[in-house]
Amino acid sequence: AGGGGGGSDNRTGAHYHGGGGGAGGVLTGSTSVSATNYSVSVGNGGSGNNSSRGNSGNSTTFNGQTAVGGGWGGRYGQGGASGGSGGGAGRDTSGGGSGTPGQGNRGGNAGGGGGGAGNSAGYPGGNGRSVSYRNGSGVTYGGGGGGAPLGWGHSGIWPGGSGGGGYGRSSHDNRGNGQSGSNGLGGGGGAAGVGYRSGNGGSGIAVIRYVIG
């Protein structure tokens, strides 16, 4: 899994809500190897912010295979960035970032959550995808960060997707910092309420299984 994208803060003003960070892409498959040394690069999550949009996550690579980092969430008037999964768009923008085919999905619109490896986002982050390579029983990776829509009549907390996505906080009810995505799962960071910091994306992971003998 690639590193998750950072969420967006809410630009100063009551209604300028931002989007959640997209999850890092989840890539599975097989590749041929020989008895030699290989380089593995695990992507860091993108940082959140309290005065601008977040940052996209970094990609995880091994032997020519790349799990793409998640896209950042947009502020007011900004679309989310494309990535492994796309970041959610800010208010008045229907441009949630697109996901990488086979790895993730699109972010939500207008203060929406970040896309997840398993499905696209609404206001909550998109859910991740379960992979059984690590322990044989399934671990869910790549949950999108929750968005920060207006929030009237809601709890003000919009959950991140399963697989390590951080929750977002609305621009009205229950304002506060967005939650960071989970490290080692590639979760996207949650968007923040006005004047607060959005969550960082969680770091990615590379899980390698091989037959001995």
Side-chain angles (χ1 to χ4, degrees):
S8 174
D9 75 325
N10 280 274
R11 181 176 149 193
T12 302
H15 306 297
Y16 295 150
H17 31 291
V26 176
L27 176 64
T28 61
S30 61
T31 185
S32 297
V33 296
S34 57
T36 187
N37 294 324
Y38 290 88
S39 176
V40 179
S41 178
V42 176
N44 292 322
S47 60
N49 212 311
N50 63 356
S51 59
S52 68
R53 63 165 174 79
N55 295 282
S56 293
N58 296 313
S59 298
T60 293
T61 61
F62 170 73
N63 197 32
Q65 307 297 309
T66 300
V68 179
W72 44 258
R75 297 184 91 198
Y76 173 77
Q78 288 182 324
S82 298
S85 283
R91 186 194 171 193
D92 291 349
T93 308
S94 58
S98 60
T100 300
Q103 298 190 26
N105 292 278
R106 180 174 291 277
N109 298 326
N119 60 271
S120 56
Y123 290 136
N127 289 324
R129 181 155 61 93
S130 179
V131 179
S132 60
Y133 293 170
R134 188 171 176 180
N135 60 8
S137 62
V139 175
T140 301
Y141 301 95
L150 184 61
W152 290 118
H154 300 283
S155 68
I157 298 178
W158 294 87
S162 61
Y167 59 73
R169 306 291 285 264
S170 81
S171 60
H172 273 281
D173 304 329
N174 207 349
R175 296 182 188 181
N177 294 332
Q179 184 184 37
S180 292
S182 296
N183 288 325
L185 298 178
V194 175
Y196 293 89
R197 183 180 176 86
S198 57
N200 301 325
S203 62
I205 190 172
V207 179
I208 301 168
R209 295 186 69 178
Y210 56 93
V211 177
I212 299 175

